[in-house]
């Protein structure tokens, strides 16, 4: 075991070029299917039999071949096979579709270089070490280390939309100091040493070694890696070395099984099934005891039955008990699971095709990745939401900045100072202000797409005018919207990031229309941003050969690294003011580096870069060592506008009974003001702040103080809780339960300065603290852990990528669509599944109850009162279609009503529609109807069983036909009574189901050799039979009809009045 783990951690050694052809290396074959032609039936049936109900029916079917000759084993076998075959066909078609997709991917043609020659092969035959050529606008077939690009700077642009959904182009560079063309001539392309493939899309550690120079290793990072699925843009073609192929590529390792969550409905379904099974066992036990008593008293007096068996023999006891168990196994609704899957498929289809959940601007419909959670959309109690990109648009605008003790507003091409009411052009700014904006124009990782401008020089606009028309701005490609917004603001002022060429940054400083200065800076290093560091830096050499380090990031990360000065307090105070206005802030600083400091840093970073173990930690330590002694320059403030209808959506969800938690990484002041603006925190709320508290005793005291105020009820105002990341970490460590109990009593909770891990930890805490159904919604990669941890994850395709949408159970284009997703589709799915499950239990109680009553009159011989035909088709044709279609289309309330009155959501929450009270009512209703159907038939035949027109007497088959006829009518007509939304198609299913019963029975009774021969012909021509049918059906359904009338006349008007008052209170909240 230990040796295998060590072996797994050993680095890969891949020879670049053709020397790997003779080795047994993994192919680039992708396989996403679960089955093969040989394994499909055994594996699929094995997975289905893992369900307890399926396995139970299998055992019953096997036993029925040896016990109880009165019931055909096909009665148990056919429903089981039907359900399993339908399920297998569904999964088989899905797997076949995946197989076809795999064949298309694996057979795609690619060009590789082998033995110095280009060859065209299928993608599946690529092996590690192959040199793969990828041309522009084509997808990368496997994970490649970029060795050579025919574009400038040995780099290429890639579109990662297929990988993470980001539309901004990213830059991938060839390894520094690696000359592919000269090495190819020498046939010494080197050996790539790298870590085994992982699922982390943003991390890669490796190096290139050469046989002739062991000390000349070239480091490889994620910036040198072309991942499978990305698309090359702009360059003619690139050459890369295959390292991870097939199922080992990072893309395939990120494929996630989305069916790993189970719906809360499974709990009540299992409870009902257990209740039915327990009830069945009790009935079987009672009947068995009565049968033993009858056998002891009656059988000895009936000599023609032959010699008495030994009833005390173990085998006889076992056989008698199993006979009854087989007789009543129909009480367990096996086909219900198939209908549930069908309902979920249609529920997902309704959501995908809902035009109100379709965003025309982004061509984004609602996406359903886990249809097994559809009904839980109507059960959510706690909603966790990200802020940036979810409640806000993540469209940044550079509005304000603070430098040299002055607050400025950016107004198109000028800086406006509100304190002096003065406006400044770039040429009239002080050198200190110019240094600040120069830092903003240099400290970034933005790329620029090449321009394709075919206009003559006379037609072209001036530099400044071209910016206003987005000639430059439109070509900025940034992974962060903050950076792009800052560069756009600088460009409009006249400080233009023009291009980057061989790590040389070109800036144009337009002081006046005729005075354009061209500046050049050499970018030596980029110190990447990370969520842990909360900052990024660049090292620049200017035209005077001075080396600068520029840094920008969160003030909590930048200010402690700055030299002490009065500016720190001023800028910190101004950042707080910006945050109170709901603006996103960044602090900016710089320092000079001596040549020795820079050389020491380069040596340490190069050493860290070639390490395969702990490389990330070593690099972070190098960054920390040099990002010290900074001179603070100023701060920026960007506006992120609210999403459309966010306030109305949040108010509606709160009215529906959801408690909303906003989990964000922003400053407390920024997040709080956004929370107030979008009405997450009511304006009348009593807000409690828990900021920078780490002492357990102090935390416990504050929690008790807030709890006393809540429990006393002295204040009728809603309560809101605002906490920062430092306090959250202490609460999760020392007082998790008390924190959860208190927070759940608050109307709104706002957690700020959180890391992605803290977000998921909070969700996990609330999940474990009670029977709450949680949902999490977000748009960024930092929300993925939170989304996957919640019971239901909802993703929004963000401007920074679709990682959240791809990892979520459901994906919508905009936050305001959440209201419809939950209040409409959640309501419908919950209501429909509840009806489906309860109706299944209801109809199975009726049909098995009549069999149980019949045992009283057949000496408890475990004989079925129904013909085998009825048992075969009852659950499949006679009644299934009508109520299943209703379960997929039922609408108690219209869509507009559900949206106008969110309070209706409370009526279905906590699975109220499937409470034990509701279940018992359905079971009692079935029991009453069972008694009516059975004893009305018994009464007709008891005194005089001559019921046919030619004087024939009714026999055993007639009695069973009488029962099943009324059962089919009552079951189908009950669908009419319980429905709230009856369509023509639903009515047609009811009529067709009844006709199908009559037609199948008529055709079956025409054939000889069965107990129904000619019975149904006489049945249909008998007036007493028709009177029995009419009277029994009316008697069964009359109580239901009266209850429905009372409900419509008296209960519904009261509910409508409550909804009107609720609507008035909602309007007041919105006005507030």
């Amino acid at each position: 075991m230990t040796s295998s783990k060590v072996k797994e951690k050993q680095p890969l050694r891949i020879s670049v070029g053709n020397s790997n052809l003779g080795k047994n290396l993994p192919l680039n074959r992708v396989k996403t299917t679960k089955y093969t032609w040989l394994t499909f039936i055994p594996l699929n049936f094995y997975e289905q039999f893992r369900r307890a109900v399926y396995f139970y029916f299998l055992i019953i079917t096997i036993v029925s071949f040896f016990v109880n000759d009165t019931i055909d084993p096909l009665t148990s076998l056919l429903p089981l096979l039907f359900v399993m075959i339908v399920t297998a066909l569904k999964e088989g078609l899905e797997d076949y579709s995946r197989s076809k997709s795999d064949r298309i991917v694996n057979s795609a043609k690619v060009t590789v270089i082998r033995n110095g020659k280009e060859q065209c092969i299928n993608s599946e035959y690529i092996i590690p070490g192959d040199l793969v050529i990828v041309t522009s606008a084509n997808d990368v077939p496997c994970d490649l280390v970029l060795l050579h690009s025919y574009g400038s700077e040995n780099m290429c642009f890639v579109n990662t939309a297929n990988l993470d959904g980001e539309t901004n182009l990213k830059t991938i560079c060839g390894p520094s100091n690696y000359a592919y063309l000269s090495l190819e001539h020498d046939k010494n392309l080197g050996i790539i040493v790298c870590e085994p493939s992982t699922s982390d899309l943003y991390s890669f550690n490796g190096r290139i070694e050469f046989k002739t120079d062991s000390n000349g290793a070239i480091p490889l990072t994620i910036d040198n890696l072309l991942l499978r699925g990305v698309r090359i843009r702009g360059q003619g073609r690139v050459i890369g070395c295959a390292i991870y192929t097939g199922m080992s590529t990072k893309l395939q390792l990120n494929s996630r099984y989305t069916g790993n969550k189970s719906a809360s409905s499974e709990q009540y379904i299992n409870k009902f099934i257990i209740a039915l099974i327990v009830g069945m066992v009790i009935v079987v036990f009672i009947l068995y005891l009565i049968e033993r008593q009858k056998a002891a008293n009656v059988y000895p007096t009936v000599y023609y039955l032959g010699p008495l068996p030994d009833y005390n023999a173990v085998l006889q006891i076992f056989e008698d008990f199993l006979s009854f168990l087989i007789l009543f196994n129909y009480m367990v609704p096996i086909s219900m699971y198939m209908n549930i899957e069908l309902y979920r498929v249609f529920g997902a289809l309704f959501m995908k095709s809902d035009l109100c959940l379709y965003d025309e601007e982004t061509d984004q419909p609602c996406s359903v990745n886990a249809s097994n959670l559809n009904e839980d959309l109507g059960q959510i109690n706690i909603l966790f939401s990200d802020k940036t990109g979810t409640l806000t648009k993540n469209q940044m605008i550079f509005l304000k900045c603070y430098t040299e003790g002055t607050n400025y507003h950016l107004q198109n091409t000028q800086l406006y100072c509100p304190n002096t009411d003065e406006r400044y052009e770039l040429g009239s700014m002080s050198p200190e202000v110019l240094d600040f904006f120069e830092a903003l124009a240099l400290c970034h990782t933005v790329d620029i797409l090449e321009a394709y401008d075919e206009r003559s020089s006379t037609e072209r606009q001036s530099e400044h005018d071209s910016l206003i028309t987005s000639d430059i701005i439109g070509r900025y490609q940034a992974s962060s919207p903050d950076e792009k917004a800052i560069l756009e603001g600088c460009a409009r002022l006249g400080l233009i990031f023009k291009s980057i060429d061989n790590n040389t940054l070109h800036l144009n400083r337009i002081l006046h229309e005729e005075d354009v200065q061209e500046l050049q800076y050499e970018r030596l290093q980029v110190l990447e941003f990370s969520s842990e560091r909360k900052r990024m830096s660049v090292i620049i050499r200017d035209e005077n050969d001075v080396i600068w380090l520029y840094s920008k990031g969160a003030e909590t990360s930048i200010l402690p690294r700055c030299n002490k000065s009065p500016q720190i307090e001023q800028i910190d105070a101004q950042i707080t003011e910006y945050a109170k206005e709901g603006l996103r802030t960044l602090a900016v600083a710089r320092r000079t580096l001596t040549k020795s400091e820079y050389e020491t840093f380069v040596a340490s970073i190069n050493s860290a870069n070639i390490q395969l173990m702990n490389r990330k930690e070593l690099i972070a330590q190098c960054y920390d060592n040099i990002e010290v002694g900074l001179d603070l320059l100023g701060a920026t403030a960007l506006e992120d506008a609210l999403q459309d209808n966010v306030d109305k959506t949040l108010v509606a969800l709160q009215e529906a009974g959801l408690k909303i938690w906003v989990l964000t990484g922003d400053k407390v002041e920024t997040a709080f003001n956004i929370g107030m603006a979008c009405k997450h925190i009511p304006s009348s709320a009593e807000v409690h702040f828990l900021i920078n508290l780490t002492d357990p005793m102090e935390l416990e005291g504050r929690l008790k103080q807030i709890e006393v105020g809540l429990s006393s009820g002295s204040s009728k105002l809603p309560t809101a809780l605002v906490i920062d990341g430092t306090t959250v970490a202490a609460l999760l460590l020392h007082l998790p339960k008390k924190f959860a109990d208190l927070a759940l009593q608050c109307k709104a909770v706002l957690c700020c300065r959180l890391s992605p891990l803290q977000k998921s930890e909070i969700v996990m805490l609330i999940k474990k603290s009670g029977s709450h159904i949680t949902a999490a919604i977000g748009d960024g990669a930092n929300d993925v852990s939170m989304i996957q941890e919640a019971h239901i994850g909802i993703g929004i395709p963000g401007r920074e990528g679709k990682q959240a949408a791809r990892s979520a159970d459901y994906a919508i284009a905009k936050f305001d669509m959440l209201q419809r997703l939950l209040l409409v589709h959640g309501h419908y799915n919950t209501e429909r599944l509840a009806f489906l499950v309860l109706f299944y239990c209801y109809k199975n109680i009726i049909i098995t109850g009549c069999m149980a009553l019949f045992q009283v009159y057949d000496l408890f011989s475990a004989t079925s009162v129904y013909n085998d035909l009825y048992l075969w088709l009852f659950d499949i044709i006679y009644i299934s279609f009508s109520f299943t279609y209703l379960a997929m289309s039922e609408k108690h309330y219209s869509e507009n009503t559900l949206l106008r009155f969110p309070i209706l959501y409370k009526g279905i929450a906590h699975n109220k529609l499937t409470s034990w009270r509701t279940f018992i009512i359905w079971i009692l209703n079935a029991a009453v109807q069972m008694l009516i159907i059975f004893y009305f038939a018994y009464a007709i035949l008891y005194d005089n069983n001559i019921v046919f027109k030619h004087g024939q007497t009714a026999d055993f088959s007639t009695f069973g036909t009488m029962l099943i006829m009324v059962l089919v009518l009552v079951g189908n007509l009950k669908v009419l009574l319980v429905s709230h939304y009856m369509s023509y198609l639903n009515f047609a299913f009811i009529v067709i189901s009844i006709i199908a019963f009559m037609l199948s029975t008529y055709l079956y009774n025409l054939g000889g050799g069965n107990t129904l021969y000619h019975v149904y012909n006489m049945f249909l021509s008998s007036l007493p039979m028709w009177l029995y049918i009419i009277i029994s059906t009316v008697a069964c359904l009359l109580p239901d009809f009266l209850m429905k009338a009372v409900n419509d006349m008296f209960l519904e008007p009261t509910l409508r009045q409550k909804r009107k008052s609720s609507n008035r209170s909602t309007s007041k909240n919105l006005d507030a």
Side-chain angles (χ1 to χ4, degrees), residues 529-575:
F529 173 86
S530 71
S531 57
E532 293 81 13
R533 286 164 28 84
K534 297 182 180 178
R535 63 185 182 276
M536 67 86 58
S537 302
V538 295
I539 299 178
I540 300 288
R541 178 184 281 120
D542 66 14
E543 294 172 333
N544 299 320
D545 203 31
V546 178
I547 300 176
W548 295 92
L549 182 142
Y550 291 97
S551 187
K552 74 171 188 291
E555 80 286 350
T556 55
S557 177
I558 297 293
L559 299 186
R561 297 180 171 273
C562 293
N563 296 319
K564 299 294 183 182
S565 77
Q567 266 196 321
I568 292 181
E569 293 183 4
Q570 296 173 8
I571 292 177
D572 191 26
Q574 187 61 49
I575 286 176

Side-chain angles (χ1 to χ4, degrees), residues 210-240:
F210 300 95
K211 297 178 182 178
T212 58
D213 186 7
S214 59
N215 297 322
I218 299 175
L220 297 175
T221 68
I222 192 65
D223 294 330
N224 309 124
L225 191 63
L226 291 167
L227 297 178
R228 177 191 181 98
V230 304
R231 177 166 293 187
I232 305 296
R233 294 290 299 274
Q235 284 66 32
R237 65 179 193 170
V238 300
I239 299 175

Side-chain angles (χ1 to χ4, degrees), residues 723-968:
I723 319 174
D724 70 338
T726 303
T727 308
V728 165
L731 287 170
L732 293 176
L733 181 62
H734 302 293
L735 302 166
K737 188 177 187 306
K738 290 186 177 181
F739 166 54
D741 293 341
L742 175 66
L744 288 171
Q745 299 179 54
C746 299
K747 185 176 181 65
V749 178
L750 175 61
C751 300
C752 314
R753 287 303 195 200
L754 297 183
S755 66
L757 179 61
Q758 285 179 317
K759 290 184 178 182
S760 64
E761 287 175 342
I762 289 175
V763 176
M764 183 188 301
L765 174 66
I766 300 303
K767 279 176 62 178
K768 294 180 178 179
S769 62
S771 57
H772 301 285
I773 303 298
T774 61
I777 182 169
D779 75 310
N782 61 333
D783 301 317
V784 170
S785 57
M786 172 180 73
I787 287 172
Q788 293 182 339
E789 182 62 44
H791 291 101
I792 297 178
I794 304 170
I796 296 177
R799 305 185 72 83
E800 298 183 42
K802 292 186 179 179
Q803 300 97 319
R806 292 178 185 273
S807 303
D809 304 305
Y810 301 87
I812 53 178
K814 296 179 179 178
F815 182 82
D816 62 346
M817 294 179 179
L818 184 64
Q819 181 179 356
R820 182 175 182 86
L821 183 68
L822 302 187
L823 302 190
V824 176
H825 290 284
H827 192 109
Y828 287 158
N829 282 307
T830 296
E831 192 174 44
R832 290 165 180 172
L833 182 64
F835 167 74
L836 181 67
V837 173
L838 291 170
F839 198 92
Y840 249 108
C841 298
Y842 154 82
K843 72 177 184 61
N844 284 22
I845 287 293
I846 294 182
I847 192 170
T848 54
C850 289
M851 284 196 290
L853 291 174
F854 182 68
Q855 300 309 302
V856 178
Y857 302 96
D858 74 339
L859 286 179
F860 301 91
S861 61
T863 302
S864 173
V865 71
Y866 307 112
N867 187 278
D868 290 338
L869 173 74
Y870 302 144
L871 295 178
W872 294 344
L873 300 181
F874 178 78
D875 218 17
I876 299 174
I877 296 177
Y878 294 165
I879 197 171
S880 181
F881 286 106
S882 57
F883 82 85
T884 301
Y885 180 78
L886 179 63
M888 293 188 296
S889 62
E890 173 70 328
K891 295 182 179 181
H892 192 172
Y893 303 103
S894 68
E895 298 171 8
N896 290 334
T897 300
L898 292 174
L899 291 173
R900 287 176 55 208
F901 305 105
I903 195 174
L904 292 172
Y905 191 86
K906 292 182 178 180
I908 63 170
H910 302 288
N911 287 316
K912 292 176 183 175
L913 298 180
T914 50
S915 62
W916 281 112
R917 177 178 175 274
T918 305
F919 176 72
I920 292 172
I921 289 175
W922 276 84
I923 297 303
L924 291 177
N925 182 247
V928 170
Q929 294 182 358
M930 167 196 70
L931 292 171
I932 292 173
I933 293 171
F934 184 88
Y935 281 107
F936 274 37
Y938 179 82
I940 288 179
L941 301 182
Y942 180 72
D943 289 332
N944 184 5
N945 63 350
I946 303 176
V947 293
F948 298 129
K949 63 178 183 179
H950 297 298
Q952 296 98 329
T953 58
D955 60 1
F956 170 72
S957 298
T958 303
F959 185 67
T961 303
M962 293 170 66
L963 298 179
I964 197 68
M965 180 75 179
V966 179
L967 271 173
V968 172

Side-chain angles (χ1 to χ4, degrees), residues 49 155 305 573 669 828 918:
F49 282 130
M155 56 182 279
L305 292 179
E669 293 83 0
Y828 287 158
T918 305

